[in-house]
Amino acid sequence: MALILDPGQTGGGLATTGSFEYRYPSGIDLKPTSATHTSLLSKLNQRIMESANEMSKRHSSWKSIDRTLTAYIPLDEMEERIKKNDERKPVSIVIPYSFATLETLLTYFSAAFLEYPIFKYSGSSPEDRVGAILLEKVIESQARRAKMALALHTTYRDGWAYGFGSVAPYWDKIYGKKTVVEEAGFFSAIFGRMMNTGQKRVSKDSVLYEGNFLRNIDPYMTLPDPNVPIQEIQKGESFGWIESSNYMELLSKEKQSSGDFFNVRYLSEYRGTAGQSIYNKAKASSGREERYGTGVTANNSTSPIDIIYMYINLIPKDWKLGSGEYPEKWLFCVAADKVIISAKPLGLNHNMFPVATCSPDYDGYSVSPISRLELIGGLQTTLDWLVNSHIQNVRKSINDMLVVDPSLVNINDLLDPAPGKLIRMRRAAWGRGVDNAVKQLQVTDITRSHIQDSAYITELIKTCSGSVDSVMGLARTGSERVSADESRGTRMAALSRLSKAAKIVSLQMMWDLGYMLASHTQQLMTKELYVDTTGRWEEELRSQYVDQSRIKVSPFDISIDYDIQEADGTLPTGENADVMTQLFQSIVSQPLLSTQFD
């Protein structure tokens, strides 16, 4: 039996026709009809509502950013008629200059951060050196397996487009079937390996893989503490987000979670929009459906359910979750705004919210800063207007604009658009000439200079965003020859602007993320893992593990103290090769220096 839930209410309206047997964590009664569940759900919804109300103020601005990242504009009624009559005629478009700017910024970040190993470590003491190298190898293997570079790229994109990007690291296990070889035959069963009479392959349920994964958090779905700036989320009381799921996925989590998830079977009757959260404004607020033309999803035959993850720093005694009188970090999961399906203390060694954020253009105070693309949004709108107004004027001008005396000509002949037409005079006008029957209006193109003006707008966009020609890979045009020093100086100045943003992101997100991944691995890793010796520590590893191309790493091998080697965000451009050559020559020519430097 299942609950009958009123999706129009929040935290109430539960009418049960039965119940399921669950063993709840810490002996807390979290049955959906219990008083504890109702009280806890009310406190969660209060925090969710406050954050959602604050973040929704930014949605309209983000939607305008979504529209600038495509060349498509929804047609109005007039342009629909134009395309219907002749689909070859141009209509209003978005000049994808913001898209080109975003691609340039992301290209720099990808080159600065996404080369393996993405996260680098060093031992805090000499005896931790080898363990830190093995830890770095394990994290690199996890990063490749989980495709963390893709999640990081999405986070950087959100940071440039919306002002901030968020990513949540989590430890997970992948379950499946593994084929193993077992002894077969009568004597094998009795004597084992001492008398092997055959073998057979058997598929067994097993943990196929365990490790760190990264979950991207949609800015439209993010629910941070509105009282702290986005770069200091660890100082807030809560951080959450909305995630779209479905009944089958949640049921699988409940089965595999060993009690971390519960109450999922109470959601079995959800269909259509009944499982959607009232705080999920992404579809209504974002321009993504408009951009991609996805329309309304068909969900009457499936069971989509919105779930809200919320990390909260709370006092268990005040929340009736225990006797503790000091803050603890807990994770809650609320499905469809009605049912709590997870509630547990995090218990992570790093004692942080497992979330990292980046905001390249943060101001130090805002929970949702202005993004780089939002900064140039007005220029992008002006650029679109200049080009589209010119298109409209040209489209109007190439059509004949005539003044006609209908008493002198057959108007139906004049309306025929085919070339080589024959226009007949009316009988009353025969023999009077045709000079005064039809007159072409003189058309002046007042938008002729718009294309030249758009060049000034694009230069302003480049200047404001930092995506100048040298960074985009475009050579400066002009009558004078570009010298090597000019090209090098321009390029280095442009890259220094981007490296500043990269250093900020490294401090905001990459350091915290690297620390969390390492801490999760040390705390939660249970299986041994083989890693390659090749890479930046190959010489060190081969001196410790002779004649081994792959090394087996156990959880005990990486139980060391470590430091994070943060990326500085600069690129090895090779621009200072001449200086390095001169330094090398000086070292070689002086015996005292040659003994000190390699």
Side-chain angles (χ1 to χ4, degrees):
M1 305 298 289
L3 288 173
I4 301 175
L5 308 179
D6 180 5
Q9 298 178 357
T10 302
L14 298 177
T16 180
T17 60
S19 63
F20 298 102
E21 292 296 328
Y22 281 105
R23 180 176 297 176
Y24 297 110
S26 304
I28 304 170
D29 184 10
L30 291 176
K31 187 176 179 180
T33 53
S34 68
T36 303
H37 183 281
T38 302
S39 174
L40 193 59
L41 186 63
S42 176
K43 293 180 179 179
L44 292 172
N45 279 324
Q46 180 67 27
R47 283 162 173 76
I48 294 169
M49 180 182 64
E50 290 176 358
S51 181
N53 289 341
E54 185 67 26
M55 298 305 293
S56 63
K57 298 175 183 178
R58 302 280 287 122
H59 288 181
S60 60
S61 181
W62 292 348
K63 184 174 182 179
S64 66
I65 297 299
D66 288 334
R67 287 174 173 169
T68 64
L69 295 177
T70 178
Y72 170 77
I73 293 180
L75 301 180
D76 57 22
E77 184 177 349
M78 180 188 70
E79 290 183 330
E80 283 184 352
R81 292 197 302 268
I82 293 173
K83 295 298 288 185
K84 184 177 181 180
N85 294 332
D86 188 353
E87 62 180 14
R88 296 169 298 179
K89 287 186 177 181
V91 292
S92 298
I93 61 173
V94 172
I95 310 303
Y97 215 89
S98 290
F99 175 80
T101 300
L102 180 60
E103 285 295 293
T104 303
L105 300 173
L106 287 177
T107 299
Y108 182 91
F109 268 38
S110 297
F113 292 124
L114 301 186
E115 294 292 333
Y116 289 100
I118 299 175
F119 304 98
K120 301 176 182 179
Y121 304 89
S122 60
S124 298
S125 59
E127 59 268 19
D128 297 328
R129 178 175 175 81
V130 176
I133 295 174
L134 296 178
L135 177 63
E136 181 180 300
K137 288 289 185 179
V138 172
I139 301 297
E140 180 181 355
S141 175
Q142 294 176 359
R144 293 180 185 273
R145 178 65 182 263
K147 301 179 181 178
M148 292 185 185
L150 295 179
L152 291 173
H153 179 274
T154 302
T155 308
Y156 302 148
R157 184 186 186 279
D158 290 341
W160 289 118
Y162 304 113
F164 73 94
S166 306
V167 64
Y170 65 99
W171 187 269
D172 200 6
K173 295 181 179 181
I174 298 178
Y175 296 87
K177 298 285 187 179
K178 179 180 288 187
T179 301
V180 298
V181 177
E182 292 185 346
E183 307 298 337
F186 176 74
F187 289 102
S188 297
I190 298 177
F191 299 103
R193 293 184 178 274
M194 296 178 61
M195 188 176 291
N196 183 5
T197 59
Q199 293 180 328
K200 63 179 180 179
R201 296 193 303 169
V202 180
S203 294
K204 290 187 174 181
D205 292 331
S206 178
V207 177
L208 301 181
Y209 175 77
E210 65 171 4
N212 282 294
F213 293 84
L214 297 182
R215 175 189 286 114
N216 286 115
I217 302 176
D218 188 343
Y220 287 98
M221 304 279 205
T222 306
L223 302 170
D225 185 344
N227 299 308
V228 297
I230 194 63
Q231 78 278 1
E232 294 183 352
I233 60 171
Q234 300 300 335
K235 297 182 179 180
E237 290 190 8
S238 63
F239 189 95
W241 67 91
I242 306 171
E243 190 172 295
S244 296
S245 185
N246 57 75
Y247 178 69
M248 297 303 170
E249 182 183 7
L250 294 178
L251 203 60
S252 298
K253 285 185 177 182
E254 183 181 81
K255 178 183 177 182
Q256 299 171 357
S257 66
S258 302
D260 287 343
F261 282 84
F262 45 82
N263 285 340
V264 173
R265 284 176 289 174
Y266 286 105
L267 304 170
S268 59
E269 298 300 320
Y270 277 86
R271 289 294 186 273
T273 59
Q276 184 172 343
S277 170
I278 63 173
Y279 306 109
N280 185 354
K281 305 291 178 52
K283 288 187 177 182
S285 300
S286 72
R288 291 171 187 155
E289 288 191 2
E290 182 180 281
R291 286 171 58 199
Y292 302 121
T294 54
V296 179
T297 56
N299 52 17
N300 290 324
S301 59
T302 58
S303 307
I305 297 175
D306 285 343
I307 55 178
I308 301 178
Y309 290 97
M310 180 65 70
Y311 296 115
I312 297 182
N313 198 21
L314 55 83
I315 298 176
K317 186 176 181 179
D318 294 345
W319 287 57
K320 296 181 174 56
L321 296 173
S323 58
E325 297 182 355
Y326 290 94
E328 296 178 6
K329 289 181 171 61
W330 280 61
L331 168 63
F332 298 93
C333 185
V334 180
D337 297 336
K338 292 295 194 302
V339 183
I340 298 175
I341 61 175
S342 183
K344 64 175 182 177
L346 282 179
L348 296 174
N349 288 348
H350 55 65
N351 196 31
M352 302 167 64
F353 293 138
V355 177
T357 60
C358 75
S359 180
D361 297 305
Y362 82 114
D363 57 10
Y365 307 101
S366 302
V367 67
S368 181
I370 302 297
S371 71
R372 186 71 58 95
L373 295 191
E374 196 173 355
L375 180 67
I376 63 174
L379 293 172
Q380 175 70 56
T381 302
T382 303
L383 178 63
D384 295 339
W385 181 82
L386 288 174
V387 175
N388 288 326
S389 60
H390 181 67
I391 291 175
Q392 294 172 3
N393 193 72
V394 171
R395 189 172 60 218
K396 179 184 68 174
S397 300
I398 61 176
N399 294 321
D400 292 334
M401 299 182 65
L402 307 176
V403 177
V404 182
D405 185 349
S407 66
L408 299 180
V409 299
N410 190 324
I411 194 68
N412 292 325
D413 292 345
L414 200 63
L415 294 176
D416 184 5
K421 65 181 67 176
L422 179 65
I423 302 174
R424 296 168 293 176
M425 302 292 293
R426 291 188 178 274
R427 182 182 296 273
W430 286 1
R432 304 166 76 180
V434 298
D435 293 339
N436 297 322
V438 180
K439 183 177 181 180
Q440 172 77 49
L441 285 180
Q442 184 177 359
V443 178
T444 302
D445 185 4
I446 60 174
T447 65
R448 181 179 302 175
S449 63
H450 283 195
I451 300 302
Q452 290 84 358
D453 294 341
S454 64
Y456 296 107
I457 301 299
T458 57
E459 289 299 323
L460 285 174
I461 293 177
K462 294 176 186 177
T463 303
C464 296
S465 65
S467 56
V468 295
D469 288 345
S470 59
V471 179
M472 286 184 168
L474 303 175
R476 178 178 70 82
T477 59
S479 57
E480 298 180 359
R481 179 178 177 272
V482 180
S483 66
D485 288 340
E486 178 189 355
S487 176
R488 182 184 301 113
T490 303
R491 176 177 171 80
M492 293 304 296
L495 292 179
S496 65
R497 292 184 62 183
L498 298 182
S499 66
K500 168 257 185 184
K503 290 178 181 178
I504 288 175
V505 169
S506 179
L507 294 171
Q508 288 175 339
M509 183 180 74
M510 300 302 291
W511 195 97
D512 287 349
L513 198 56
Y515 177 68
M516 293 178 195
L517 296 179
S519 180
H520 291 175
T521 303
Q522 287 185 331
Q523 180 181 358
L524 303 173
M525 179 178 174
T526 60
K527 299 179 63 176
E528 295 177 338
L529 180 69
Y530 281 90
V531 298
D532 292 326
T533 57
T534 57
R536 70 186 192 117
W537 297 112
E538 181 175 0
E539 184 177 352
E540 180 79 17
L541 290 175
R542 289 192 181 277
S543 66
Q544 297 288 331
Y545 303 91
V546 182
D547 298 330
Q548 294 188 44
S549 60
R550 292 181 65 81
I551 305 170
K552 182 169 67 174
V553 183
S554 72
F556 302 101
D557 295 329
I558 58 176
S559 296
I560 48 92
D561 294 328
Y562 58 89
D563 294 320
I564 312 295
Q565 295 183 8
E566 62 185 58
D568 61 3
T570 58
L571 298 182
T573 58
E575 299 290 353
N576 297 321
D578 294 339
V579 176
M580 295 302 297
T581 302
Q582 294 175 9
L583 290 175
F584 178 74
Q585 292 173 350
S586 299
I587 292 173
V588 173
S589 62
Q590 300 185 31
L592 181 61
L593 291 177
S594 62
T595 60
Q596 299 295 324
F597 297 94
D598 184 356

